[in-house]
Amino acid sequence: MRNKVLFFLPLIALLSCKNDVKQAEEAKPAEVKEKQFLVTLDLIAKKDDNMHLYYTQDKSINFEETESVWAQIKGSDNVQQVVFKLPEDVIPTDFRIDLGYGKNVEQTEIVLKKMTFNYLDKMFVASGADIFNYFYPNQENTIVDKSTGVLKRKTVDQVTAPSIYPHTTLEEELIKITR
């Protein structure tokens, strides 16, 4: 019997230490949030596609591939969230969003419901028709119904997806959450 006790004693001590470590980890204060800017789109896209978010840091709308992030989406009849994570420590001044990539004749429309911009503990949200107080459609390739949030290609077989560009009011909101 004494041998059994001696055998289980180290095992009990080991398990006890693991529990203490777990409790200590749970008791730690929340770590500092990442210094990463997030843009979340709540939208309906019925077909698989790729979304492209461009950003600038110099208050211009000279959007370049080097300052952009991609997100793949799976088609769905339901609202889904598309999250763009900018590189750490990037403080954007403007955004352009391409709601699809290339010629995708199956994607007849995108319904943009809400946009959320997060940085550290601050947030800015635009939803419904209010989105278009901060963005305007690219007239060359996009048809928009502001009341429903529906964005479409001008022609079904066009190579470019619907896209939206920033109004100066967006820059003002971005300044509020990044300062």
Side-chain angles (χ1 to χ4, degrees), residues 53-165:
L53 177 113
Y54 292 89
Y55 59 90
T56 58
Q57 300 178 75
D58 62 0
K59 297 184 181 185
S60 76
I61 56 169
N62 299 321
F63 298 105
E64 302 288 334
E65 185 67 34
T66 56
E67 291 187 318
S68 70
V69 289
W70 288 87
Q72 287 187 333
I73 59 165
K74 290 287 184 191
S76 175
D77 291 335
N78 300 315
V79 175
Q80 59 183 301
Q81 288 191 329
V82 179
V83 179
F84 296 97
K85 294 181 178 183
L86 276 57
E88 195 167 322
D89 294 323
V90 165
I91 307 295
T93 57
D94 274 310
F95 291 106
R96 173 184 126 193
I97 304 170
D98 292 359
L99 298 161
Y101 177 73
K103 189 174 182 177
N104 186 349
V105 296
E106 294 180 0
Q107 192 79 274
T108 57
E109 64 185 35
I110 302 285
V111 182
L112 188 55
K113 299 283 192 178
K114 181 170 76 170
M115 302 175 84
T116 306
F117 303 87
N118 294 81
Y119 185 68
L120 299 176
D121 60 343
K122 295 181 183 175
M123 173 175 51
F124 164 67
V125 177
S127 59
D130 194 37
I131 292 169
F132 301 101
N133 292 330
Y134 304 99
F135 287 91
Y136 63 92
N138 178 343
Q139 297 295 323
E140 293 178 18
N141 65 8
T142 306
I143 299 171
V144 65
D145 181 341
K146 293 177 183 178
S147 65
T148 61
V150 170
L151 294 112
K152 298 180 184 182
R153 298 167 191 258
K154 276 199 164 180
T155 61
V156 176
D157 62 346
Q158 77 188 31
V159 177
T160 54
S163 58
I164 54 177
Y165 282 79

Side-chain angles (χ1 to χ4, degrees), residues 13-32:
L14 179 64
L15 291 175
S16 177
C17 287
K18 280 188 176 182
N19 286 339
D20 290 345
V21 169
K22 186 176 181 180
Q23 288 174 355
E25 286 175 358
E26 291 171 359
K28 283 184 192 174
E31 292 187 30
V32 177

